[in-house]
Amino acid sequence: MLNDEGKPLFRQIAELIENSIVDGSLAEETQVPSTNELAAFHRINPATAAKGLNALTTEGILYKKRGIGMFVTTGARDKLVARRRDRFARQYVVPLVLEAGKLGIGIDELKSMLDTREHR
C-alpha cells in the first residue's frame, strides 16, 4: 500500500511496480495493472497513477502497446537491479567503509565482521 509520507504518490506507484519487477512477480513482457486499476486499488486519482507509469515508460522500464496497455520491457529487471545495487553501494557501503576507516578498521577486519553477522 501507499504510505511513504513525503514521497509523491506517483513515485510510490512507480516503486511498487519496480518492486514487483525486481521480485519477479511482474515478469518481462507481462502486462502491468492499468492506470484505472491502480487508481481504484490505491484510491488515488487516475492521473497520479498514470504519472507513475509514465515515469517508468520514460526510464525504459515499461512500454506501451497502443490500445492494450503497459508492459514490462525486456531487460527491465536487470536494469532495475543494477540501479539498486549502485544506490545500495552509495548509500550503505561507501559510508560503512569510510566510518570503518575512521575507526581504524581495515577491509579484512570489516569483511570478517560482515561474515560473522551473516551467520547470526
Side-chain angles (χ1 to χ4, degrees):
M1 280 314 247
L2 305 178
N3 63 8
D4 190 352
E5 293 180 26
K7 187 176 287 188
L9 290 174
F10 82 91
R11 190 69 241 156
Q12 291 181 54
I13 290 291
E15 287 177 359
L16 285 172
I17 299 296
E18 287 177 355
N19 289 339
S20 295
I21 293 168
V22 170
D23 74 17
S25 57
L26 273 176
E28 295 177 351
E29 300 303 323
T30 300
Q31 188 170 7
V32 301
S34 72
T35 297
N36 290 333
E37 290 170 332
L38 289 168
F41 183 80
H42 295 290
R43 296 181 182 174
I44 61 172
N45 188 309
T48 301
K51 189 174 179 181
L53 294 176
N54 288 333
L56 293 174
T57 301
T58 300
E59 295 171 15
I61 303 302
L62 302 179
Y63 69 94
K64 297 177 187 177
K65 284 188 181 178
R66 190 173 180 93
I68 299 174
M70 301 274 226
F71 292 79
V72 179
T73 304
T74 299
R77 184 180 185 285
D78 291 341
K79 186 175 187 175
L80 289 169
V81 168
R83 184 178 359 173
R84 287 183 177 196
R85 289 175 66 100
D86 181 60
R87 186 178 338 139
F88 179 81
R90 283 184 281 114
Q91 286 181 328
Y92 300 106
V93 177
V94 171
L96 174 71
V97 171
L98 290 172
E99 184 64 18
K102 290 176 190 175
L103 300 173
I105 300 170
I107 294 296
D108 289 336
E109 185 178 356
L110 184 58
K111 287 178 184 177
S112 176
M113 293 169 88
L114 290 169
D115 285 342
T116 302
R117 297 268 185 230
E118 184 178 306
H119 299 291
R120 287 185 184 183

